[in-house]
Coordinates of all heavy atoms in Angstrom, one line a residue:
E1078 N 87.9 -26.6 -123.2 CA 86.6 -27.2 -123.6 C 85.5 -26.5 -122.9 O 84.4 -26.3 -123.5 CB 86.6 -28.7 -123.2 CG 85.4 -29.4 -123.6 CD 85.4 -30.9 -123.3 OE1 86.5 -31.5 -123.5 OE2 84.4 -31.4 -122.9
T1079 N 85.6 -26.2 -121.6 CA 84.6 -25.5 -120.9 C 84.3 -24.1 -121.4 O 83.2 -23.6 -121.4 CB 84.9 -25.4 -119.4 OG1 86.1 -24.7 -119.2 CG2 84.9 -26.7 -118.7
E1080 N 85.4 -23.5 -121.9 CA 85.3 -22.1 -122.5 C 84.5 -22.2 -123.8 O 83.6 -21.3 -124.0 CB 86.7 -21.6 -122.8 CG 86.7 -20.1 -123.1 CD 88.1 -19.5 -123.3 OE1 88.9 -19.7 -122.3 OE2 88.3 -18.9 -124.3
I1081 N 84.6 -23.2 -124.6 CA 83.9 -23.4 -125.8 C 82.4 -23.7 -125.5 O 81.5 -23.1 -126.1 CB 84.4 -24.6 -126.6 CG1 85.8 -24.3 -127.1 CG2 83.5 -24.9 -127.8 CD1 86.6 -25.4 -127.8
L1082 N 82.2 -24.5 -124.5 CA 80.8 -24.8 -124.0 C 80.1 -23.5 -123.5 O 78.9 -23.3 -123.7 CB 80.8 -25.9 -123.0 CG 81.0 -27.3 -123.5 CD1 81.1 -28.3 -122.3 CD2 80.0 -27.7 -124.5
N1083 N 80.9 -22.7 -122.7 CA 80.4 -21.5 -122.2 C 80.0 -20.5 -123.3 O 78.9 -19.9 -123.2 CB 81.4 -20.9 -121.2 CG 80.8 -19.9 -120.3 OD1 79.6 -19.8 -120.1 ND2 81.6 -19.1 -119.6
K1084 N 80.8 -20.4 -124.3 CA 80.6 -19.5 -125.4 C 79.3 -20.0 -126.2 O 78.5 -19.2 -126.6 CB 81.8 -19.4 -126.3 CG 82.9 -18.6 -125.8 CD 84.0 -18.5 -126.8 CE 85.2 -17.7 -126.2 NZ 86.3 -17.6 -127.1
E1085 N 79.2 -21.3 -126.4 CA 78.1 -21.8 -127.1 C 76.8 -21.6 -126.3 O 75.8 -21.2 -126.8 CB 78.3 -23.4 -127.3 CG 77.2 -24.1 -128.0 CD 77.0 -23.6 -129.4 OE1 77.9 -23.1 -130.0 OE2 75.9 -23.9 -129.9
F1086 N 76.9 -21.7 -125.0 CA 75.8 -21.5 -124.1 C 75.3 -20.0 -124.2 O 74.1 -19.7 -124.3 CB 76.1 -21.8 -122.6 CG 75.0 -21.4 -121.7 CD1 73.8 -22.2 -121.6 CD2 75.1 -20.3 -120.9 CE1 72.8 -21.8 -120.7 CE2 74.2 -20.0 -120.0 CZ 73.0 -20.7 -119.9
L1087 N 76.3 -19.1 -124.2 CA 76.0 -17.7 -124.3 C 75.3 -17.3 -125.6 O 74.4 -16.5 -125.7 CB 77.2 -16.8 -124.0 CG 77.8 -16.8 -122.6 CD1 79.1 -16.1 -122.5 CD2 76.7 -16.3 -121.6
R1088 N 75.8 -18.0 -126.7 CA 75.3 -17.7 -128.0 C 73.9 -18.2 -128.1 O 73.0 -17.5 -128.6 CB 76.2 -18.4 -129.1 CG 75.7 -18.1 -130.5 CD 76.5 -18.9 -131.5 NE 76.2 -20.3 -131.4 CZ 75.1 -20.9 -131.9 NH1 74.2 -20.2 -132.5 NH2 74.9 -22.2 -131.8
V1089 N 73.6 -19.4 -127.6 CA 72.3 -20.0 -127.6 C 71.3 -19.1 -126.7 O 70.2 -18.9 -127.1 CB 72.3 -21.4 -127.1 CG1 70.9 -22.0 -126.9 CG2 73.0 -22.3 -128.1
Q1090 N 71.9 -18.6 -125.6 CA 71.1 -17.8 -124.7 C 70.7 -16.5 -125.4 O 69.5 -16.1 -125.3 CB 71.8 -17.5 -123.4 CG 71.0 -16.8 -122.4 CD 71.8 -16.6 -121.1 OE1 73.0 -16.6 -121.1 NE2 71.1 -16.4 -120.0
D1091 N 71.6 -15.9 -126.2 CA 71.3 -14.7 -126.9 C 70.2 -15.0 -128.0 O 69.3 -14.2 -128.2 CB 72.5 -14.1 -127.6 CG 73.5 -13.4 -126.6 OD1 73.0 -13.1 -125.5 OD2 74.7 -13.3 -127.0
V1092 N 70.4 -16.1 -128.7 CA 69.4 -16.4 -129.7 C 68.0 -16.6 -129.1 O 67.0 -16.1 -129.6 CB 69.8 -17.7 -130.5 CG1 68.7 -18.2 -131.3 CG2 71.1 -17.4 -131.3
M1093 N 67.9 -17.3 -127.9 CA 66.7 -17.5 -127.2 C 66.1 -16.2 -126.7 O 64.8 -16.0 -126.8 CB 66.8 -18.5 -126.1 CG 67.3 -19.9 -126.5 SD 66.0 -20.7 -127.5 CE 65.1 -21.4 -126.3
T1094 N 66.9 -15.3 -126.3 CA 66.4 -14.0 -125.8 C 65.8 -13.2 -126.9 O 64.7 -12.6 -126.8 CB 67.6 -13.2 -125.1 OG1 68.1 -14.0 -124.1 CG2 67.1 -11.9 -124.6
Q1095 N 66.5 -13.2 -128.1 CA 66.0 -12.5 -129.3 C 64.7 -13.2 -129.7 O 63.7 -12.4 -130.1 CB 67.0 -12.6 -130.4 CG 68.2 -11.7 -130.2 CD 69.3 -11.9 -131.2 OE1 69.1 -12.8 -132.1 NE2 70.4 -11.1 -131.2
Q1096 N 64.6 -14.5 -129.7 CA 63.4 -15.2 -130.1 C 62.3 -14.8 -129.2 O 61.1 -14.6 -129.6 CB 63.6 -16.7 -130.2 CG 62.5 -17.4 -130.8 CD 62.8 -18.9 -130.9 OE1 63.7 -19.4 -130.2 NE2 62.1 -19.6 -131.8
N1097 N 62.6 -14.8 -127.9 CA 61.6 -14.4 -126.9 C 61.0 -13.0 -127.1 O 59.8 -12.8 -127.0 CB 62.1 -14.6 -125.5 CG 61.1 -14.4 -124.4 OD1 59.9 -14.7 -124.6 ND2 61.5 -13.9 -123.3
E1098 N 61.9 -12.1 -127.4 CA 61.5 -10.7 -127.7 C 60.6 -10.6 -128.9 O 59.6 -9.9 -128.9 CB 62.7 -9.8 -127.8 CG 63.5 -9.6 -126.5 CD 64.8 -8.8 -126.8 OE1 65.1 -8.5 -127.9 OE2 65.5 -8.6 -125.8
L1099 N 60.9 -11.4 -129.9 CA 60.1 -11.4 -131.1 C 58.7 -12.0 -130.9 O 57.7 -11.4 -131.3 CB 60.8 -12.2 -132.3 CG 62.0 -11.5 -132.9 CD1 62.7 -12.5 -133.9 CD2 61.6 -10.3 -133.7
L1100 N 58.7 -13.0 -130.1 CA 57.4 -13.7 -129.8 C 56.6 -12.7 -128.9 O 55.3 -12.6 -129.1 CB 57.6 -15.0 -129.1 CG 58.2 -16.1 -130.0 CD1 58.5 -17.3 -129.1 CD2 57.2 -16.5 -131.0
E1101 N 57.2 -12.0 -128.0 CA 56.4 -11.1 -127.1 C 55.9 -9.9 -127.9 O 54.8 -9.5 -127.7 CB 57.3 -10.6 -126.0 CG 57.5 -11.6 -124.9 CD 58.3 -11.1 -123.7 OE1 58.7 -9.9 -123.7 OE2 58.6 -11.8 -122.8
Q1102 N 56.7 -9.5 -128.9 CA 56.2 -8.4 -129.8 C 55.0 -8.9 -130.6 O 54.1 -8.2 -130.8 CB 57.4 -7.9 -130.7 CG 57.0 -6.8 -131.6 CD 58.2 -6.4 -132.5 OE1 59.2 -7.0 -132.5 NE2 58.0 -5.4 -133.3
R1103 N 55.2 -10.1 -131.2 CA 54.1 -10.6 -132.0 C 52.8 -10.8 -131.1 O 51.7 -10.5 -131.6 CB 54.5 -12.0 -132.6 CG 53.5 -12.6 -133.5 CD 53.2 -11.8 -134.7 NE 52.3 -12.6 -135.5 CZ 51.4 -12.0 -136.3 NH1 51.3 -10.7 -136.4 NH2 50.5 -12.7 -137.0
L1104 N 53.0 -11.3 -129.9 CA 51.9 -11.5 -129.0 C 51.2 -10.1 -128.7 O 50.0 -10.0 -128.7 CB 52.3 -12.1 -127.7 CG 51.2 -12.2 -126.6 CD1 50.1 -13.1 -127.0 CD2 51.8 -12.6 -125.3
S1105 N 52.0 -9.1 -128.5 CA 51.4 -7.7 -128.3 C 50.6 -7.3 -129.5 O 49.6 -6.7 -129.4 CB 52.6 -6.8 -128.0 OG 52.1 -5.5 -127.8
E1106 N 51.2 -7.5 -130.7 CA 50.5 -7.1 -131.9 C 49.2 -7.8 -132.1 O 48.1 -7.2 -132.4 CB 51.3 -7.4 -133.2 CG 52.6 -6.5 -133.3 CD 53.5 -7.0 -134.4 OE1 53.2 -8.0 -135.1 OE2 54.6 -6.4 -134.6
L1107 N 49.2 -9.1 -131.8 CA 48.0 -9.9 -132.0 C 46.9 -9.5 -130.9 O 45.7 -9.5 -131.2 CB 48.3 -11.4 -131.9 CG 49.0 -12.0 -133.0 CD1 49.4 -13.5 -132.8 CD2 48.2 -11.9 -134.3
Q1108 N 47.4 -9.3 -129.7 CA 46.5 -8.8 -128.6 C 45.8 -7.5 -129.0 O 44.6 -7.3 -128.8 CB 47.2 -8.7 -127.3 CG 46.4 -8.4 -126.1 CD 45.4 -9.5 -125.8 OE1 45.8 -10.6 -125.8 NE2 44.2 -9.1 -125.5
N1109 N 46.6 -6.6 -129.6 CA 46.1 -5.3 -130.0 C 45.0 -5.5 -131.1 O 44.0 -4.9 -131.1 CB 47.2 -4.4 -130.5 CG 46.8 -3.0 -130.7 OD1 45.9 -2.5 -130.1 ND2 47.5 -2.3 -131.6
L1110 N 45.3 -6.4 -132.1 CA 44.3 -6.7 -133.1 C 43.1 -7.3 -132.5 O 42.0 -6.9 -133.0 CB 44.9 -7.7 -134.2 CG 46.0 -7.1 -135.1 CD1 46.6 -8.2 -136.0 CD2 45.3 -6.1 -136.0
F1111 N 43.2 -8.2 -131.6 CA 42.0 -8.8 -131.0 C 41.2 -7.7 -130.2 O 40.0 -7.7 -130.3 CB 42.5 -9.9 -130.0 CG 41.4 -10.6 -129.3 CD1 40.6 -11.5 -130.0 CD2 41.1 -10.3 -128.0 CE1 39.5 -12.2 -129.3 CE2 40.0 -10.9 -127.3 CZ 39.3 -11.9 -128.0
D1112 N 41.9 -6.9 -129.4 CA 41.2 -5.9 -128.6 C 40.5 -4.9 -129.5 O 39.4 -4.3 -129.1 CB 42.2 -5.2 -127.7 CG 42.7 -6.1 -126.6 OD1 42.0 -7.1 -126.3 OD2 43.7 -5.8 -126.0
N1113 N 41.0 -4.6 -130.7 CA 40.4 -3.6 -131.5 C 39.6 -4.1 -132.7 O 39.3 -3.4 -133.7 CB 41.5 -2.6 -132.1 CG 42.2 -1.9 -130.9 OD1 41.5 -1.5 -130.0 ND2 43.5 -1.7 -131.0
R1114 N 39.2 -5.4 -132.6 CA 38.5 -6.0 -133.7 C 37.1 -5.4 -133.8 O 36.6 -4.9 -132.8 CB 38.4 -7.5 -133.6 CG 37.5 -7.9 -132.4 CD 37.6 -9.4 -132.1 NE 36.7 -9.9 -131.1 CZ 36.8 -9.7 -129.8 NH1 37.8 -9.0 -129.4 NH2 35.9 -10.2 -129.0
S1115 N 36.5 -5.4 -135.0 CA 35.1 -4.9 -135.1 C 34.1 -5.9 -134.6 O 34.3 -7.1 -134.5 CB 34.9 -4.6 -136.6 OG 35.0 -5.8 -137.4
S1116 N 32.9 -5.3 -134.3 CA 31.9 -6.2 -133.7 C 31.2 -7.0 -134.8 O 31.2 -6.6 -136.0 CB 30.8 -5.3 -133.1 OG 31.3 -4.5 -132.1
R1117 N 30.8 -8.2 -134.4 CA 30.1 -9.0 -135.4 C 28.7 -8.5 -135.6 O 28.1 -7.9 -134.7 CB 30.0 -10.5 -134.8 CG 31.4 -11.1 -134.6 CD 31.2 -12.5 -134.1 NE 30.2 -12.6 -133.0 CZ 29.9 -13.8 -132.5 NH1 30.4 -14.9 -132.9 NH2 29.0 -13.8 -131.6
P1118 N 28.2 -8.7 -136.8 CA 26.8 -8.1 -137.2 C 25.7 -8.7 -136.2 O 24.8 -8.0 -135.8 CB 26.6 -8.6 -138.6 CG 27.9 -8.8 -139.2 CD 28.8 -9.2 -138.0
E1119 N 25.8 -10.0 -135.9 CA 24.8 -10.6 -135.1 C 24.9 -10.0 -133.6 O 23.9 -9.9 -133.0 CB 24.9 -12.1 -135.0 CG 26.3 -12.7 -134.6 CD 27.2 -13.0 -135.8 OE1 27.0 -12.4 -136.9 OE2 28.1 -13.8 -135.6
D1120 N 26.1 -9.7 -133.2 CA 26.2 -9.0 -131.9 C 25.6 -7.6 -131.9 O 24.9 -7.3 -130.9 CB 27.7 -8.9 -131.5 CG 28.3 -10.3 -131.2 OD1 27.6 -11.2 -130.9 OD2 29.6 -10.3 -131.2
L1121 N 25.8 -6.9 -132.9 CA 25.2 -5.6 -133.0 C 23.7 -5.6 -133.1 O 23.0 -4.8 -132.5 CB 25.8 -4.8 -134.3 CG 27.2 -4.5 -134.2 CD1 27.7 -3.9 -135.6 CD2 27.5 -3.5 -133.1
E1122 N 23.2 -6.6 -133.8 CA 21.8 -6.8 -133.9 C 21.2 -7.2 -132.6 O 20.1 -6.6 -132.2 CB 21.5 -8.0 -134.9 CG 20.0 -8.2 -135.2 CD 19.8 -9.4 -136.2 OE1 20.6 -9.5 -137.1 OE2 18.9 -10.1 -136.0
R1123 N 21.8 -8.1 -131.8 CA 21.3 -8.5 -130.5 C 21.4 -7.3 -129.5 O 20.4 -7.1 -128.7 CB 22.2 -9.6 -130.0 CG 21.8 -10.1 -128.7 CD 20.4 -10.9 -128.7 NE 20.1 -11.4 -127.5 CZ 18.9 -11.5 -126.9 NH1 17.9 -11.1 -127.6 NH2 18.7 -12.0 -125.7
I1124 N 22.4 -6.5 -129.6 CA 22.5 -5.3 -128.8 C 21.3 -4.3 -129.1 O 20.7 -3.8 -128.2 CB 23.8 -4.6 -129.0 CG1 25.0 -5.4 -128.3 CG2 23.8 -3.2 -128.4 CD1 26.4 -4.9 -128.6
A1125 N 21.0 -4.2 -130.4 CA 19.9 -3.3 -130.8 C 18.6 -3.8 -130.2 O 17.7 -3.1 -129.7 CB 19.8 -3.1 -132.3
E1126 N 18.4 -5.2 -130.3 CA 17.2 -5.8 -129.8 C 17.0 -5.6 -128.3 O 16.0 -5.2 -127.8 CB 17.2 -7.3 -130.1 CG 17.0 -7.7 -131.6 CD 17.2 -9.2 -131.8 OE1 17.4 -9.9 -130.8 OE2 17.2 -9.6 -133.0
L1127 N 18.1 -5.8 -127.6 CA 18.1 -5.7 -126.1 C 17.9 -4.2 -125.7 O 17.2 -4.0 -124.7 CB 19.4 -6.2 -125.5 CG 19.5 -7.7 -125.6 CD1 20.9 -8.1 -125.1 CD2 18.5 -8.5 -124.8
T1128 N 18.4 -3.3 -126.5 CA 18.2 -1.9 -126.2 C 16.8 -1.5 -126.4 O 16.2 -0.8 -125.5 CB 19.1 -1.0 -127.1 OG1 20.5 -1.4 -126.9 CG2 19.0 0.5 -126.8
T1129 N 16.2 -2.0 -127.4 CA 14.8 -1.7 -127.7 C 13.9 -2.3 -126.6 O 13.0 -1.7 -126.1 CB 14.4 -2.3 -129.1 OG1 15.2 -1.7 -130.1 CG2 12.9 -2.0 -129.4
E1130 N 14.2 -3.6 -126.3 CA 13.4 -4.3 -125.2 C 13.5 -3.6 -123.9 O 12.6 -3.4 -123.2 CB 13.9 -5.7 -125.1 CG 13.1 -6.6 -124.1 CD 13.6 -8.0 -124.0 OE1 14.3 -8.4 -125.0 OE2 13.3 -8.6 -123.1
N1131 N 14.7 -3.1 -123.6 CA 15.0 -2.4 -122.3 C 14.2 -1.1 -122.3 O 13.6 -0.8 -121.3 CB 16.5 -2.1 -122.2 CG 16.8 -1.6 -120.8 OD1 16.1 -1.9 -119.8 ND2 17.8 -0.8 -120.8
A1132 N 14.1 -0.4 -123.4 CA 13.4 0.9 -123.5 C 11.9 0.6 -123.3 O 11.2 1.3 -122.6 CB 13.6 1.6 -124.8
E1133 N 11.4 -0.5 -123.9 CA 10.0 -0.8 -123.8 C 9.6 -1.2 -122.4 O 8.6 -0.8 -121.8 CB 9.6 -2.0 -124.7 CG 9.6 -1.6 -126.2 CD 9.5 -2.9 -127.1 OE1 9.5 -4.0 -126.6 OE2 9.5 -2.7 -128.3
L1134 N 10.5 -2.0 -121.7 CA 10.2 -2.4 -120.3 C 10.3 -1.2 -119.4 O 9.5 -1.1 -118.4 CB 11.2 -3.5 -119.9 CG 11.0 -4.8 -120.6 CD1 12.1 -5.8 -120.2 CD2 9.6 -5.4 -120.2
A1135 N 11.2 -0.3 -119.7 CA 11.3 1.0 -118.8 C 10.0 1.8 -119.0 O 9.5 2.3 -118.0 CB 12.5 1.8 -119.2
D1136 N 9.5 1.9 -120.2 CA 8.3 2.6 -120.4 C 7.1 1.9 -119.7 O 6.3 2.6 -119.1 CB 7.9 2.7 -121.9 CG 8.9 3.6 -122.6 OD1 9.6 4.4 -122.0 OD2 8.9 3.6 -123.9
E1137 N 7.1 0.6 -119.7 CA 6.0 -0.1 -119.1 C 6.1 0.0 -117.5 O 5.1 0.2 -116.9 CB 6.1 -1.6 -119.4 CG 5.0 -2.4 -118.9 CD 5.0 -3.9 -119.4 OE1 5.7 -4.2 -120.4 OE2 4.4 -4.7 -118.7
V1138 N 7.3 0.0 -117.0 CA 7.5 0.2 -115.5 C 7.0 1.6 -115.2 O 6.3 1.8 -114.2 CB 8.9 0.0 -115.1 CG1 9.2 0.5 -113.7 CG2 9.3 -1.5 -115.2
A1139 N 7.4 2.6 -116.0 CA 7.0 4.0 -115.7 C 5.4 4.1 -115.7 O 4.9 4.8 -114.8 CB 7.6 4.9 -116.7
K1140 N 4.8 3.4 -116.7 CA 3.3 3.5 -116.8 C 2.7 2.8 -115.5 O 1.8 3.3 -115.0 CB 2.9 2.8 -118.0 CG 1.4 2.8 -118.2 CD 1.0 1.9 -119.4 CE -0.5 1.8 -119.6 NZ -1.2 1.2 -118.4
L1141 N 3.3 1.7 -115.1 CA 2.8 1.0 -113.9 C 2.9 1.8 -112.7 O 2.0 1.8 -111.8 CB 3.5 -0.4 -113.8 CG 3.1 -1.4 -114.9 CD1 4.0 -2.7 -114.7 CD2 1.6 -1.8 -114.8
V1142 N 4.0 2.5 -112.5 CA 4.3 3.3 -111.4 C 3.2 4.4 -111.4 O 2.6 4.8 -110.3 CB 5.7 3.9 -111.3 CG1 5.8 5.0 -110.4 CG2 6.7 2.8 -111.0
K1143 N 3.0 5.0 -112.5 CA 2.0 6.1 -112.7 C 0.6 5.6 -112.3 O -0.2 6.2 -111.6 CB 2.0 6.6 -114.1 CG 1.1 7.8 -114.4 CD 1.2 8.2 -115.8 CE 0.1 9.2 -116.1 NZ 0.0 9.5 -117.6
D1144 N 0.3 4.4 -112.9 CA -1.0 3.8 -112.6 C -1.2 3.5 -111.1 O -2.3 3.7 -110.5 CB -1.2 2.5 -113.4 CG -1.5 2.7 -114.8 OD1 -1.7 3.9 -115.2 OD2 -1.4 1.8 -115.6
M1145 N -0.1 3.0 -110.5 CA -0.2 2.7 -109.0 C -0.4 3.9 -108.2 O -1.2 3.9 -107.3 CB 1.1 2.0 -108.6 CG 1.2 1.7 -107.1 SD 0.1 0.4 -106.6 CE 1.1 -1.0 -106.9
K1146 N 0.2 5.0 -108.6 CA 0.0 6.3 -107.9 C -1.4 6.7 -108.1 O -2.1 7.2 -107.1 CB 1.0 7.3 -108.5 CG 1.0 8.7 -107.7 CD 2.0 9.6 -108.3 CE 1.9 10.9 -107.6 NZ 2.9 11.9 -108.2
Y1147 N -1.9 6.6 -109.3 CA -3.3 7.0 -109.5 C -4.3 6.2 -108.7 O -5.2 6.8 -108.0 CB -3.7 6.8 -111.0 CG -5.1 7.0 -111.3 CD1 -5.7 8.2 -111.4 CD2 -5.9 5.9 -111.5 CE1 -7.1 8.4 -111.6 CE2 -7.3 6.0 -111.7 CZ -7.9 7.2 -111.8 OH -9.2 7.4 -112.1
Y1148 N -4.1 4.9 -108.6 CA -5.0 4.0 -107.9 C -4.9 4.3 -106.4 O -5.9 4.2 -105.6 CB -4.8 2.6 -108.2 CG -5.3 2.2 -109.6 CD1 -4.4 1.7 -110.5 CD2 -6.6 2.5 -110.0 CE1 -4.9 1.4 -111.8 CE2 -7.1 2.2 -111.3 CZ -6.2 1.7 -112.2 OH -6.6 1.4 -113.4
K1149 N -3.7 4.6 -105.9 CA -3.6 4.9 -104.5 C -4.3 6.2 -104.1 O -5.0 6.2 -103.1 CB -2.1 5.0 -104.1 CG -1.4 3.7 -103.9 CD 0.0 3.9 -103.5 CE 0.8 2.6 -103.3 NZ 2.1 2.8 -102.9
L1150 N -4.2 7.2 -105.0 CA -4.9 8.4 -104.8 C -6.4 8.2 -104.9 O -7.2 8.8 -104.1 CB -4.4 9.5 -105.8 CG -3.0 10.0 -105.5 CD1 -2.6 11.0 -106.7 CD2 -2.9 10.7 -104.2
E1151 N -6.8 7.5 -105.8 CA -8.3 7.2 -106.0 C -8.8 6.5 -104.8 O -9.9 6.8 -104.3 CB -8.5 6.3 -107.3 CG -9.9 6.0 -107.6 CD -10.7 7.2 -108.0 OE1 -10.2 8.2 -108.5 OE2 -12.0 7.2 -107.8
L1152 N -8.1 5.5 -104.3 CA -8.5 4.8 -103.1 C -8.6 5.7 -101.9 O -9.6 5.7 -101.1 CB -7.6 3.6 -102.8 CG -8.0 2.6 -101.7 CD1 -9.3 2.0 -102.0 CD2 -6.9 1.6 -101.5
L1153 N -7.6 6.5 -101.7 CA -7.6 7.5 -100.6 C -8.8 8.5 -100.7 O -9.4 8.8 -99.7 CB -6.3 8.2 -100.6 CG -6.0 9.2 -99.5 CD1 -6.0 8.4 -98.1 CD2 -4.7 9.9 -99.7
N1154 N -9.0 8.9 -101.9 CA -10.1 9.8 -102.2 C -11.5 9.2 -101.8 O -12.3 9.8 -101.2 CB -10.1 10.3 -103.6 CG -11.2 11.4 -103.9 OD1 -11.5 12.2 -103.0 ND2 -11.8 11.3 -105.1
R1155 N -11.7 7.9 -102.3 CA -12.9 7.2 -102.0 C -13.1 7.0 -100.5 O -14.2 7.1 -100.0 CB -12.9 5.9 -102.7 CG -13.2 6.1 -104.2 CD -13.2 4.8 -104.9 NE -13.3 5.0 -106.4 CZ -13.8 4.1 -107.2 NH1 -14.2 2.9 -106.8 NH2 -13.8 4.4 -108.5
E1156 N -12.0 6.7 -99.8 CA -12.1 6.5 -98.4 C -12.5 7.8 -97.7 O -13.3 7.8 -96.8 CB -10.8 6.0 -97.9 CG -10.8 5.6 -96.4 CD -9.5 5.1 -95.9 OE1 -8.5 5.0 -96.6 OE2 -9.4 4.7 -94.7
K1157 N -11.9 8.9 -98.1 CA -12.2 10.2 -97.5 C -13.7 10.5 -97.7 O -14.4 11.0 -96.8 CB -11.3 11.3 -98.0 CG -9.9 11.3 -97.5 CD -9.1 12.4 -98.1 CE -7.7 12.4 -97.6 NZ -6.9 13.5 -98.1
N1158 N -14.2 10.3 -99.0 CA -15.6 10.6 -99.3 C -16.5 9.7 -98.5 O -17.5 10.1 -98.0 CB -15.8 10.4 -100.8 CG -15.3 11.6 -101.6 OD1 -15.1 12.6 -101.1 ND2 -15.0 11.3 -102.9
F1159 N -16.2 8.4 -98.4 CA -17.0 7.5 -97.6 C -17.1 8.0 -96.1 O -18.2 8.0 -95.5 CB -16.4 6.1 -97.7 CG -17.2 5.1 -96.8 CD1 -18.3 4.5 -97.3 CD2 -16.8 4.8 -95.5 CE1 -19.0 3.6 -96.6 CE2 -17.5 3.9 -94.8 CZ -18.6 3.2 -95.3
N1160 N -15.9 8.3 -95.5 CA -15.9 8.7 -94.1 C -16.6 10.0 -94.0 O -17.3 10.2 -92.9 CB -14.5 8.8 -93.6 CG -13.8 7.5 -93.5 OD1 -14.5 6.4 -93.4 ND2 -12.5 7.5 -93.6
K1161 N -16.6 10.9 -94.9 CA -17.3 12.2 -94.9 C -18.8 12.0 -95.0 O -19.5 12.6 -94.2 CB -16.7 13.1 -96.0 CG -17.2 14.5 -96.0 CD -16.5 15.2 -97.0 CE -17.3 16.5 -97.5 NZ -16.6 17.2 -98.6
L1162 N -19.2 11.1 -95.9 CA -20.6 10.9 -96.1 C -21.3 10.2 -95.0 O -22.4 10.5 -94.6 CB -20.8 10.0 -97.4 CG -22.2 9.7 -97.9 CD1 -22.9 11.0 -98.2 CD2 -22.2 8.8 -99.1
F1163 N -20.6 9.2 -94.4 CA -21.2 8.4 -93.3 C -20.7 8.8 -91.9 O -21.0 8.1 -91.0 CB -21.0 6.9 -93.6 CG -21.7 6.4 -94.8 CD1 -21.0 6.1 -95.9 CD2 -23.0 6.2 -94.8 CE1 -21.6 5.7 -97.1 CE2 -23.7 5.7 -95.9 CZ -23.0 5.5 -97.1
N1164 N -20.0 9.9 -91.9 CA -19.5 10.4 -90.6 C -18.8 9.3 -89.9 O -19.0 9.2 -88.7 CB -20.6 11.1 -89.8 CG -20.0 12.0 -88.7 OD1 -18.9 12.4 -88.8 ND2 -20.8 12.3 -87.7
A1165 N -18.0 8.6 -90.6 CA -17.3 7.5 -89.9 C -15.9 8.0 -89.6 O -15.2 8.7 -90.3 CB -17.2 6.3 -90.9
S1166 N -15.4 7.5 -88.4 CA -14.0 7.7 -88.0 C -13.5 6.4 -87.6 O -13.6 6.0 -86.4 CB -13.9 8.8 -87.0 OG -15.0 8.8 -86.1
P1167 N -12.9 5.7 -88.6 CA -12.5 4.3 -88.3 C -11.3 4.3 -87.3 O -10.4 5.1 -87.4 CB -12.2 3.7 -89.6 CG -11.8 4.9 -90.4 CD -12.6 6.1 -89.9
N1168 N -11.3 3.3 -86.4 CA -10.2 3.1 -85.6 C -9.5 1.8 -86.1 O -9.9 0.7 -85.7 CB -10.6 2.9 -84.1 CG -11.1 4.2 -83.5 OD1 -10.7 5.3 -83.9 ND2 -12.1 4.1 -82.6
V1169 N -8.6 2.0 -86.9 CA -7.9 0.9 -87.5 C -7.0 0.2 -86.5 O -6.3 0.8 -85.8 CB -7.1 1.4 -88.7 CG1 -6.3 0.2 -89.4 CG2 -7.9 2.1 -89.7
G1170 N -7.2 -1.2 -86.5 CA -6.4 -2.0 -85.6 C -6.9 -2.1 -84.2 O -6.3 -2.7 -83.3
V1171 N -8.1 -1.6 -83.9 CA -8.7 -1.6 -82.6 C -9.9 -2.6 -82.7 O -10.8 -2.4 -83.5 CB -9.2 -0.2 -82.1 CG1 -9.9 -0.4 -80.7 CG2 -8.0 0.7 -82.0
M1172 N -10.0 -3.5 -81.8 CA -11.1 -4.5 -81.7 C -12.2 -3.9 -80.8 O -11.9 -3.4 -79.8 CB -10.6 -5.8 -81.2 CG -9.5 -6.4 -81.9 SD -9.7 -7.9 -82.8 CE -11.0 -8.8 -82.2
S1173 N -13.4 -4.0 -81.3 CA -14.5 -3.5 -80.5 C -15.5 -4.6 -80.0 O -15.5 -5.7 -80.4 CB -15.3 -2.5 -81.3 OG -15.7 -2.9 -82.6

C-alpha cells in the first residue's frame, strides 16, 4: 500500500513540476510582451509637451544668465566711471 501511495505521490509531483514549468514559461512570455509593449499615444504626447517645455525653460535660463552677466558688467562699468569721474576710492566695509 505504501508503494502505491509513493508511486501516486511521484506521479502527482511530476504533473505539478510540469505544470509549474508551463506556468513559468507563460509568465516569461507575458513579461516579455509587457516589457516590449508600445507607448500609449497620450504618453507620447505628454513626453513631447514636456520636452518642448524643457527646451523653452532652458532657453529662458540661458537668457537670464546672459542678462545677469550683462547687468553685472554694466554695474561694474558704471562704478568704475563714477570713481574715475569723482576721483573716489571707496573703502568698502570701513566706518569713518
Side-chain angles (χ1 to χ4, degrees):
E1078 183 178 321
T1079 57
E1080 192 173 306
I1081 295 173
L1082 288 174
N1083 198 14
K1084 286 181 182 180
E1085 180 67 20
F1086 173 76
L1087 291 175
R1088 187 186 66 77
V1089 169
Q1090 189 177 21
D1091 286 343
V1092 169
M1093 295 299 271
T1094 303
Q1095 290 173 356
Q1096 188 177 20
N1097 187 31
E1098 288 172 0
L1099 288 173
L1100 289 173
E1101 285 182 2
Q1102 182 181 4
R1103 181 67 178 147
L1104 175 65
S1105 176
E1106 291 171 2
L1107 291 174
Q1108 185 67 41
N1109 192 24
L1110 285 174
F1111 179 78
D1112 290 342
N1113 296 322
R1114 71 191 185 284
S1115 60
S1116 300
R1117 298 181 315 176
E1119 55 268 20
D1120 291 341
L1121 294 174
E1122 182 180 324
R1123 182 69 176 142
I1124 289 170
E1126 289 172 5
L1127 290 173
T1128 303
T1129 303
E1130 183 180 343
N1131 189 29
E1133 291 171 357
L1134 290 174
D1136 290 344
E1137 187 175 340
V1138 166
K1140 180 187 178 299
L1141 291 173
V1142 167
K1143 182 181 169 187
D1144 288 348
M1145 178 68 88
K1146 185 177 179 182
Y1147 169 79
Y1148 290 123
K1149 282 182 178 182
L1150 290 174
E1151 182 68 25
L1152 187 60
L1153 185 62
N1154 185 36
R1155 288 182 185 201
E1156 184 179 4
K1157 283 181 183 179
N1158 285 337
F1159 177 84
N1160 290 338
K1161 186 174 159 183
L1162 182 65
F1163 295 105
N1164 197 18
S1166 31
N1168 292 327
V1169 178
V1171 177
M1172 306 247 333
S1173 48

